[in-house]
């Protein structure tokens, strides 16, 4: 038989490997400490902040999916991002970030910069030519990318940005939370590091806060592992076990999320109460061609704009199949208002620069029947029309 694919190997991570009882599903190792075989004879594991068999099983599965040389599992997406910053940047260094990155990342980058940890440069990476010029001029230590961006789903053309970053010796980090390795594999495009909030699609059931880092080179993975152990940003065994369970259905879920999101985006754009729909799968989305080339699908996130906050209120009050909540990537559909929720920590100037208006709504399209989701959205839009 030919070698199984990365997806098959990741989905079968740990299956049938238990030697104590022959369990098909690998057990959870909750113990914080491990016996030494004898005096000065440590085994593979000694203390669970440093290593844990369940966490390593999940890390290996994510590394396999992303095609990396090594990786670590963290306590949250922000824990993963913090670990990468600790590993890659020292005082005097600089980081180039997207002007519309996830609000929590934006806050971390800026608060650390204010304390003198490093300098932040904000770049619009969707304008490839200007972004490459800025990278050449600024020569940052790290280039941080997030594509599709949150919440406007703007697309960054990864290959030229990564190639230019390599020219100036910058490390590239891609936040791959929105697409997962099923739909986008940045390391194969030359990125150095991928980070995830596993809280989202990788776990997929909205019951774990978690994160992960995967590196293309073993030495970068080892450096991140060192900082995760040292700073204590690693994930717990129980959460790792749950994420591993969730990931076993990842490819099927991603296809269903995408089918629902495409149908929702197409329906939204038909309605006069909707000003704009942002979904990379729509042929007139500015990043559509790049997305079609560099992604294996368009994902499950859709955002759209109503004409103002009064419309937003009328639309949200009365939704049946979308819960008003932060986060994304679960089986259930969610709606969020980025300006007052996920991106509330951004300054008004930064919101304006990123193009985030009070009429913007973001949908995480779940696995419910798309016909029900569309009917619910259309009822909301009728409330808006009746204002
Ligand atoms: C793109 C992206 N990256 C990182 C994070 C942070 O992840 P966590 O909430 O697991 O810390 C989020 C959270 O929403 C996100 O959307």
């Amino acid at each position: 038989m030919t070698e199984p694919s990365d997806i098959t190997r990741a989905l079968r991570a740990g299956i049938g490997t238990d030697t104590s009882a022959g369990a098909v599903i690998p057990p959870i190792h909750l113990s914080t400490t491990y016996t030494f075989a004898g005096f000065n004879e440590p085994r593979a594991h000694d203390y669970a902040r440093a290593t844990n068999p369940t966490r390593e099983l999940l890390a290996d599965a994510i590394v396999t999916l992303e095609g990396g040389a090594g990786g670590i599992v963290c306590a949250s997406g922000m824990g993963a991002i913090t670990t990468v910053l600790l590993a890659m940047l020292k005082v005097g260094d600089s980081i180039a970030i997207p002007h519309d990155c996830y609000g929590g990342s934006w806050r971390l980058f800026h608060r650390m910069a204010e304390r003198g940890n490093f300098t932040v440069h904000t770049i619009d990476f969707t304008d490839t030519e200007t972004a490459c010029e800025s990278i050449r001029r600024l020569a940052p230590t790290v280039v941080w990318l997030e594509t599709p961006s949150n919440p406007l789903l703007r697309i960054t053309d990864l290959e030229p940005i990564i190639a230019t970053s390599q020219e100036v010796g910058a490390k590239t980090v891609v936040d791959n939370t929105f697409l997962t390795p099923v739909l986008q594999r940045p390391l194969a495009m030359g990125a150095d590091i991928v980070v995830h909030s596993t809280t989202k699609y990788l776990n997929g059931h909205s019951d774990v806060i978690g994160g992960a880092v995967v590196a293309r080179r073993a030495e970068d993975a080892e450096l991140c592992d060192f900082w995760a152990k040292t700073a204590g940003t690693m994930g717990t065994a129980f959460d790792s076990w749950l994420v591993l369970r969730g990931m076993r259905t990842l490819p099927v879920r991603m296809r269903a999320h995408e089918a629902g999101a495409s149908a929702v985006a197409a329906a939204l754009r038909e309605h006069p109460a909707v000003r704009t729909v942002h979904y990379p799968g729509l042929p007139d989305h500015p990043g559509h061609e790049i997305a079609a080339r560099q992604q294996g699908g368009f994902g499950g996130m859709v955002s759209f704009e109503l004409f103002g906050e009064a419309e937003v209120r009328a639309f949200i009050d009365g939704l049946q199949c979308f819960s008003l909540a932060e986060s994304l990537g679960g089986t259930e559909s969610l709606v969020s208002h980025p300006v007052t929720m996920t991106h509330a920590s951004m300054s008004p100037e930064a919101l304006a620069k990123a193009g985030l208006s009070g009429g913007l709504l973001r949908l995480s399209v779940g696995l419910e029947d798309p016909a029900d989701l569309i009917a619910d959205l259309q009822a909301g839009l009728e409330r808006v029309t009746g204002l």
Side-chain angles (χ1 to χ4, degrees):
M1 184 190 155
T2 52
E3 178 75 3
S5 70
D6 289 349
I7 287 197
T8 301
R9 286 191 295 125
L11 263 54
R12 290 194 61 84
I15 297 285
T17 56
D18 174 47
T19 48
S20 59
V24 170
I25 298 300
I28 315 180
H29 290 273
L30 291 171
S31 184
T32 52
T33 189
Y34 296 82
T35 57
F36 279 55
F39 175 70
N40 204 13
E41 286 179 54
R43 302 182 206 265
H45 304 280
D46 53 10
Y47 182 56
R49 174 156 49 75
T51 61
N52 171 277
T54 311
R55 193 166 69 227
E56 282 173 13
L57 203 51
L58 172 62
D60 288 349
I62 302 177
V63 167
T64 302
L65 278 181
E66 288 287 4
I72 55 167
V73 166
C74 294
S76 64
M78 293 315 301
I81 294 169
T82 302
T83 307
V84 172
L85 298 184
L86 287 171
M88 298 294 152
L89 290 155
K90 54 184 182 355
V91 173
D93 287 346
S94 66
I95 180 168
I97 64 162
H99 66 319
D100 57 351
C101 65
Y102 165 62
S105 311
W106 189 93
R107 178 174 53 197
L108 179 67
F109 297 138
H110 282 86
R111 292 294 170 272
M112 286 183 78
E114 278 163 24
R115 298 172 57 138
N117 292 75
F118 44 72
T119 309
V120 172
H121 305 294
T122 307
I123 292 183
D124 176 359
F125 287 109
T126 56
D127 177 351
T128 311
E129 212 170 300
T130 315
C132 288
E133 274 166 28
S134 303
I135 293 168
R136 284 196 192 97
R137 179 169 43 84
L138 298 166
T141 323
V142 169
V143 173
W144 196 274
L145 302 167
E146 200 185 297
T147 180
S149 71
N150 179 9
L152 286 176
L153 305 165
R154 293 182 176 128
I155 304 292
T156 297
D157 196 350
L158 287 174
E159 271 168 345
I161 303 278
I162 291 170
T164 308
S165 306
Q166 282 170 349
E167 273 172 37
V168 299
K171 294 260 184 206
T172 43
V173 184
V174 180
D175 187 329
N176 206 22
T177 298
F178 268 37
L179 288 178
T180 83
V182 171
L183 300 182
Q184 178 168 272
R185 295 181 96 202
L187 301 183
M189 291 180 244
D192 294 290
I193 291 179
V194 161
V195 294
H196 278 282
S197 167
T198 59
T199 311
K200 317 296 195 253
Y201 289 108
L202 290 191
N203 177 54
H205 294 76
S206 303
D207 50 12
V208 172
I209 295 285
V213 181
V214 180
R216 188 159 53 86
R217 288 192 207 83
E219 59 264 33
D220 285 339
E222 278 156 26
L223 200 56
C224 291
D225 184 48
F226 169 83
W227 278 103
K229 281 176 193 162
T230 305
T233 53
M234 72 301 141
T236 68
F238 192 69
D239 286 347
S240 300
W241 190 86
L242 282 174
V243 176
L244 194 57
R245 183 172 74 157
M247 267 180 45
R248 297 195 197 281
T249 55
L250 180 67
V252 189
R253 283 188 284 108
M254 290 314 290
R255 278 193 288 277
H257 282 297
E258 183 178 351
S262 305
V264 160
L268 283 173
R269 70 180 307 171
E270 295 301 316
H271 204 285
V274 176
R275 212 165 118 188
T276 330
V277 180
H278 307 279
Y279 184 63
L282 293 173
D284 57 358
H285 181 283
H288 176 73
E289 275 174 32
I290 302 168
R293 165 163 45 82
Q294 77 183 7
Q295 301 175 190
F298 299 109
M301 300 299 295
V302 178
S303 60
F304 66 102
E305 290 178 47
L306 298 176
F307 284 88
E309 284 200 19
E311 286 80 0
V312 164
R313 191 179 291 272
F315 175 80
I316 285 175
D317 289 346
L319 286 175
Q320 307 283 315
C321 301
F322 287 80
S323 307
L324 177 63
E326 299 198 355
S327 204
L328 59 115
T331 59
E332 70 294 339
S333 289
L334 302 177
V335 58
S336 75
H337 182 238
V339 168
T340 55
M341 296 167 71
T342 44
H343 290 63
S345 57
M346 285 171 78
S347 64
E349 301 75 45
L351 287 172
K353 199 170 166 202
L356 307 191
S357 74
L360 180 71
L361 287 164
R362 189 190 76 180
L363 303 177
S364 173
V365 179
L367 303 184
E368 302 91 340
D369 184 341
D372 291 333
L373 298 179
I374 290 168
D376 198 24
L377 295 172
Q378 277 167 343
L381 294 172
E382 289 316 310
R383 288 193 294 278
V384 171
T385 311
L387 273 183

